[in-house]
Structures are given as C-alpha cells and as structure tokens.
Amino acid sequence: MHELELTLTATPTAPAAAREAVRTWFADRYDRETAETATLLVSELVTNAVVHGTGPGPSLTVDQVANGVIQIAVCDGSHHLPQRQIQVPGAAEQAGGRGLFPIAWGWEPLRSGKRVWFEIECTSPNRG
C-alpha cells in the first residue's frame, strides 16, 4: 500500500496538482526544506510525463522504502525511457529545466509505459 497515490490528467494543471499533494503530504511529516525539495522534483517528473508521455495521464505514488528514505514515482504510458543528462556549465539557464542531477533516481519499463522514480533522504522529521 502506498503512502500517497494520485492519478492525474495529462493537462498543464497536472504538475500543480502533484506539487500540492506532495507538499501537503510532506508538511505533516518532514521539515520544510525536505518538502520543498520533494515538491520541486515531483513537478519535474510530472511535467515530463505530461509533455513526453502518452495515455490518459500520469500516476504518482509516494512510498517509504527505508527508514528515512522516501521514494516518489510517476508512471506514464510512454515506452520512451529518460536519458541521463550530464550537467554542463550554463545548463541552468537553458529552457527545459535542470533535470534530476545529481540525486538518486531511475526508471523501469512497464507493460503499459514506464515508471520514473527518485529517492530523497528525510532526516529531519517534523516535530512541531
């Protein structure tokens, strides 16, 4: 069972809906910096799924995979796998975002498309 599961529509509003869901989920559990990092990265994955994916829309899951490690994954209907990008000077100014470099991430093919994921370490639980 996933900690959070969300089915999105393949529209320009999907990244905002994903950001809000992840921000809300993290807000009660972890510190603000962790929540902001997760929110930024999920926006990248969902945007890529909407722009490059196929099918009705991406799905989002959040899972605790180890003590203090959260994995966020986005599935879409495209069989085109992402390519790792090498960060080059000036890349931050280019259109299309900064990618997921240098965090832990990966992908796996699915029968109906692919699953792209990233993991973040959550070492500062929200105690307040």
Side-chain angles (χ1 to χ4, degrees), residues 78-97:
S78 172
H79 290 282
H80 181 76
L81 298 177
Q83 301 297 312
R84 291 190 186 265
Q85 301 281 327
I86 305 256
Q87 192 79 358
V88 295
E93 292 80 31
Q94 295 176 4

PDB file of all heavy atoms in Angstrom, residues 78-97:
ATOM      1  N   SER A  78       4.155   6.192 -21.913  1.00  0.00           N
ATOM      2  CA  SER A  78       5.189   6.185 -22.939  1.00  0.00           C
ATOM      3  C   SER A  78       6.234   5.111 -22.640  1.00  0.00           C
ATOM      4  O   SER A  78       6.654   4.938 -21.497  1.00  0.00           O
ATOM      5  CB  SER A  78       5.881   7.548 -23.000  1.00  0.00           C
ATOM      6  OG  SER A  78       6.992   7.493 -23.864  1.00  0.00           O
ATOM      7  N   HIS A  79       6.689   4.429 -23.679  1.00  0.00           N
ATOM      8  CA  HIS A  79       7.762   3.448 -23.530  1.00  0.00           C
ATOM      9  C   HIS A  79       9.133   4.080 -23.758  1.00  0.00           C
ATOM     10  O   HIS A  79      10.153   3.409 -23.625  1.00  0.00           O
ATOM     11  CB  HIS A  79       7.551   2.282 -24.495  1.00  0.00           C
ATOM     12  CG  HIS A  79       6.381   1.437 -24.116  1.00  0.00           C
ATOM     13  ND1 HIS A  79       6.426   0.520 -23.103  1.00  0.00           N
ATOM     14  CD2 HIS A  79       5.120   1.397 -24.591  1.00  0.00           C
ATOM     15  CE1 HIS A  79       5.250  -0.072 -22.977  1.00  0.00           C
ATOM     16  NE2 HIS A  79       4.430   0.458 -23.872  1.00  0.00           N
ATOM     17  N   HIS A  80       9.166   5.365 -24.085  1.00  0.00           N
ATOM     18  CA  HIS A  80      10.433   6.074 -24.288  1.00  0.00           C
ATOM     19  C   HIS A  80      11.062   6.334 -22.918  1.00  0.00           C
ATOM     20  O   HIS A  80      10.490   7.045 -22.089  1.00  0.00           O
ATOM     21  CB  HIS A  80      10.201   7.393 -25.038  1.00  0.00           C
ATOM     22  CG  HIS A  80      11.452   8.148 -25.284  1.00  0.00           C
ATOM     23  ND1 HIS A  80      12.352   7.794 -26.259  1.00  0.00           N
ATOM     24  CD2 HIS A  80      11.972   9.226 -24.661  1.00  0.00           C
ATOM     25  CE1 HIS A  80      13.374   8.621 -26.228  1.00  0.00           C
ATOM     26  NE2 HIS A  80      13.158   9.506 -25.269  1.00  0.00           N
ATOM     27  N   LEU A  81      12.235   5.740 -22.689  1.00  0.00           N
ATOM     28  CA  LEU A  81      12.889   5.868 -21.387  1.00  0.00           C
ATOM     29  C   LEU A  81      13.700   7.156 -21.320  1.00  0.00           C
ATOM     30  O   LEU A  81      14.281   7.591 -22.315  1.00  0.00           O
ATOM     31  CB  LEU A  81      13.785   4.664 -21.126  1.00  0.00           C
ATOM     32  CG  LEU A  81      13.053   3.328 -21.069  1.00  0.00           C
ATOM     33  CD1 LEU A  81      14.048   2.193 -20.875  1.00  0.00           C
ATOM     34  CD2 LEU A  81      12.009   3.320 -19.962  1.00  0.00           C
ATOM     35  N   PRO A  82      13.758   7.766 -20.137  1.00  0.00           N
ATOM     36  CA  PRO A  82      14.531   9.007 -19.993  1.00  0.00           C
ATOM     37  C   PRO A  82      16.022   8.729 -20.155  1.00  0.00           C
ATOM     38  O   PRO A  82      16.494   7.622 -19.896  1.00  0.00           O
ATOM     39  CB  PRO A  82      14.206   9.469 -18.570  1.00  0.00           C
ATOM     40  CG  PRO A  82      13.747   8.257 -17.856  1.00  0.00           C
ATOM     41  CD  PRO A  82      13.153   7.345 -18.883  1.00  0.00           C
ATOM     42  N   GLN A  83      16.743   9.735 -20.575  1.00  0.00           N
ATOM     43  CA  GLN A  83      18.192   9.631 -20.729  1.00  0.00           C
ATOM     44  C   GLN A  83      18.848  10.470 -19.656  1.00  0.00           C
ATOM     45  O   GLN A  83      18.425  11.592 -19.391  1.00  0.00           O
ATOM     46  CB  GLN A  83      18.616  10.143 -22.116  1.00  0.00           C
ATOM     47  CG  GLN A  83      17.980   9.381 -23.263  1.00  0.00           C
ATOM     48  CD  GLN A  83      18.391   7.923 -23.284  1.00  0.00           C
ATOM     49  OE1 GLN A  83      19.570   7.605 -23.181  1.00  0.00           O
ATOM     50  NE2 GLN A  83      17.420   7.036 -23.393  1.00  0.00           N
ATOM     51  N   ARG A  84      19.880   9.916 -19.053  1.00  0.00           N
ATOM     52  CA  ARG A  84      20.632  10.693 -18.066  1.00  0.00           C
ATOM     53  C   ARG A  84      21.345  11.831 -18.779  1.00  0.00           C
ATOM     54  O   ARG A  84      21.947  11.639 -19.824  1.00  0.00           O
ATOM     55  CB  ARG A  84      21.642   9.815 -17.332  1.00  0.00           C
ATOM     56  CG  ARG A  84      20.971   8.806 -16.429  1.00  0.00           C
ATOM     57  CD  ARG A  84      21.999   8.125 -15.556  1.00  0.00           C
ATOM     58  NE  ARG A  84      21.367   7.071 -14.800  1.00  0.00           N
ATOM     59  CZ  ARG A  84      20.915   7.209 -13.560  1.00  0.00           C
ATOM     60  NH1 ARG A  84      21.029   8.371 -12.953  1.00  0.00           N
ATOM     61  NH2 ARG A  84      20.362   6.217 -12.923  1.00  0.00           N
ATOM     62  N   GLN A  85      21.252  13.015 -18.199  1.00  0.00           N
ATOM     63  CA  GLN A  85      21.876  14.195 -18.776  1.00  0.00           C
ATOM     64  C   GLN A  85      23.124  14.533 -17.964  1.00  0.00           C
ATOM     65  O   GLN A  85      23.115  14.447 -16.746  1.00  0.00           O
ATOM     66  CB  GLN A  85      20.911  15.387 -18.720  1.00  0.00           C
ATOM     67  CG  GLN A  85      19.613  15.160 -19.449  1.00  0.00           C
ATOM     68  CD  GLN A  85      19.750  15.327 -20.932  1.00  0.00           C
ATOM     69  OE1 GLN A  85      20.538  16.138 -21.391  1.00  0.00           O
ATOM     70  NE2 GLN A  85      18.992  14.560 -21.692  1.00  0.00           N
ATOM     71  N   ILE A  86      24.163  14.954 -18.630  1.00  0.00           N
ATOM     72  CA  ILE A  86      25.368  15.421 -17.958  1.00  0.00           C
ATOM     73  C   ILE A  86      25.196  16.922 -17.743  1.00  0.00           C
ATOM     74  O   ILE A  86      24.877  17.653 -18.676  1.00  0.00           O
ATOM     75  CB  ILE A  86      26.620  15.165 -18.809  1.00  0.00           C
ATOM     76  CG1 ILE A  86      26.687  13.700 -19.177  1.00  0.00           C
ATOM     77  CG2 ILE A  86      27.853  15.710 -18.117  1.00  0.00           C
ATOM     78  CD1 ILE A  86      27.645  12.858 -18.456  1.00  0.00           C
ATOM     79  N   GLN A  87      25.376  17.357 -16.507  1.00  0.00           N
ATOM     80  CA  GLN A  87      25.241  18.777 -16.187  1.00  0.00           C
ATOM     81  C   GLN A  87      26.443  19.521 -16.774  1.00  0.00           C
ATOM     82  O   GLN A  87      27.580  19.149 -16.534  1.00  0.00           O
ATOM     83  CB  GLN A  87      25.188  18.967 -14.669  1.00  0.00           C
ATOM     84  CG  GLN A  87      24.762  20.340 -14.257  1.00  0.00           C
ATOM     85  CD  GLN A  87      23.266  20.525 -14.350  1.00  0.00           C
ATOM     86  OE1 GLN A  87      22.524  19.650 -14.748  1.00  0.00           O
ATOM     87  NE2 GLN A  87      22.812  21.684 -13.989  1.00  0.00           N
ATOM     88  N   VAL A  88      26.165  20.544 -17.559  1.00  0.00           N
ATOM     89  CA  VAL A  88      27.239  21.325 -18.171  1.00  0.00           C
ATOM     90  C   VAL A  88      27.107  22.769 -17.733  1.00  0.00           C
ATOM     91  O   VAL A  88      26.026  23.224 -17.383  1.00  0.00           O
ATOM     92  CB  VAL A  88      27.186  21.242 -19.716  1.00  0.00           C
ATOM     93  CG1 VAL A  88      27.459  19.825 -20.183  1.00  0.00           C
ATOM     94  CG2 VAL A  88      25.859  21.729 -20.249  1.00  0.00           C
ATOM     95  N   PRO A  89      28.217  23.508 -17.730  1.00  0.00           N
ATOM     96  CA  PRO A  89      28.139  24.919 -17.364  1.00  0.00           C
ATOM     97  C   PRO A  89      27.109  25.642 -18.223  1.00  0.00           C
ATOM     98  O   PRO A  89      27.042  25.433 -19.436  1.00  0.00           O
ATOM     99  CB  PRO A  89      29.548  25.442 -17.636  1.00  0.00           C
ATOM    100  CG  PRO A  89      30.421  24.233 -17.544  1.00  0.00           C
ATOM    101  CD  PRO A  89      29.567  23.090 -18.054  1.00  0.00           C
ATOM    102  N   GLY A  90      26.282  26.440 -17.597  1.00  0.00           N
ATOM    103  CA  GLY A  90      25.272  27.197 -18.304  1.00  0.00           C
ATOM    104  C   GLY A  90      23.966  26.461 -18.506  1.00  0.00           C
ATOM    105  O   GLY A  90      23.006  27.020 -19.007  1.00  0.00           O
ATOM    106  N   ALA A  91      23.915  25.189 -18.119  1.00  0.00           N
ATOM    107  CA  ALA A  91      22.700  24.398 -18.330  1.00  0.00           C
ATOM    108  C   ALA A  91      21.512  24.952 -17.556  1.00  0.00           C
ATOM    109  O   ALA A  91      20.375  24.816 -17.975  1.00  0.00           O
ATOM    110  CB  ALA A  91      22.936  22.934 -17.955  1.00  0.00           C
ATOM    111  N   ALA A  92      21.755  25.581 -16.426  1.00  0.00           N
ATOM    112  CA  ALA A  92      20.668  26.116 -15.606  1.00  0.00           C
ATOM    113  C   ALA A  92      19.906  27.212 -16.334  1.00  0.00           C
ATOM    114  O   ALA A  92      18.733  27.438 -16.054  1.00  0.00           O
ATOM    115  CB  ALA A  92      21.221  26.650 -14.282  1.00  0.00           C
ATOM    116  N   GLU A  93      20.561  27.871 -17.275  1.00  0.00           N
ATOM    117  CA  GLU A  93      19.906  28.950 -17.997  1.00  0.00           C
ATOM    118  C   GLU A  93      19.135  28.446 -19.211  1.00  0.00           C
ATOM    119  O   GLU A  93      18.397  29.193 -19.829  1.00  0.00           O
ATOM    120  CB  GLU A  93      20.941  29.992 -18.448  1.00  0.00           C
ATOM    121  CG  GLU A  93      21.564  30.775 -17.305  1.00  0.00           C
ATOM    122  CD  GLU A  93      22.672  30.004 -16.603  1.00  0.00           C
ATOM    123  OE1 GLU A  93      23.379  29.196 -17.231  1.00  0.00           O
ATOM    124  OE2 GLU A  93      22.835  30.221 -15.394  1.00  0.00           O
ATOM    125  N   GLN A  94      19.317  27.194 -19.595  1.00  0.00           N
ATOM    126  CA  GLN A  94      18.652  26.663 -20.770  1.00  0.00           C
ATOM    127  C   GLN A  94      17.202  26.319 -20.455  1.00  0.00           C
ATOM    128  O   GLN A  94      16.855  25.982 -19.333  1.00  0.00           O
ATOM    129  CB  GLN A  94      19.370  25.410 -21.264  1.00  0.00           C
ATOM    130  CG  GLN A  94      20.777  25.705 -21.748  1.00  0.00           C
ATOM    131  CD  GLN A  94      21.506  24.429 -22.143  1.00  0.00           C
ATOM    132  OE1 GLN A  94      20.935  23.349 -22.117  1.00  0.00           O
ATOM    133  NE2 GLN A  94      22.756  24.566 -22.497  1.00  0.00           N
ATOM    134  N   ALA A  95      16.346  26.406 -21.471  1.00  0.00           N
ATOM    135  CA  ALA A  95      14.945  26.040 -21.301  1.00  0.00           C
ATOM    136  C   ALA A  95      14.842  24.543 -21.068  1.00  0.00           C
ATOM    137  O   ALA A  95      15.669  23.774 -21.510  1.00  0.00           O
ATOM    138  CB  ALA A  95      14.153  26.422 -22.557  1.00  0.00           C
ATOM    139  N   GLY A  96      13.813  24.141 -20.336  1.00  0.00           N
ATOM    140  CA  GLY A  96      13.585  22.716 -20.137  1.00  0.00           C
ATOM    141  C   GLY A  96      13.962  22.213 -18.768  1.00  0.00           C
ATOM    142  O   GLY A  96      13.889  21.032 -18.508  1.00  0.00           O
ATOM    143  N   GLY A  97      14.398  23.063 -17.888  1.00  0.00           N
ATOM    144  CA  GLY A  97      14.672  22.636 -16.523  1.00  0.00           C
ATOM    145  C   GLY A  97      16.072  22.098 -16.339  1.00  0.00           C
ATOM    146  O   GLY A  97      16.888  22.043 -17.238  1.00  0.00           O
TER     147      GLY A  97
END
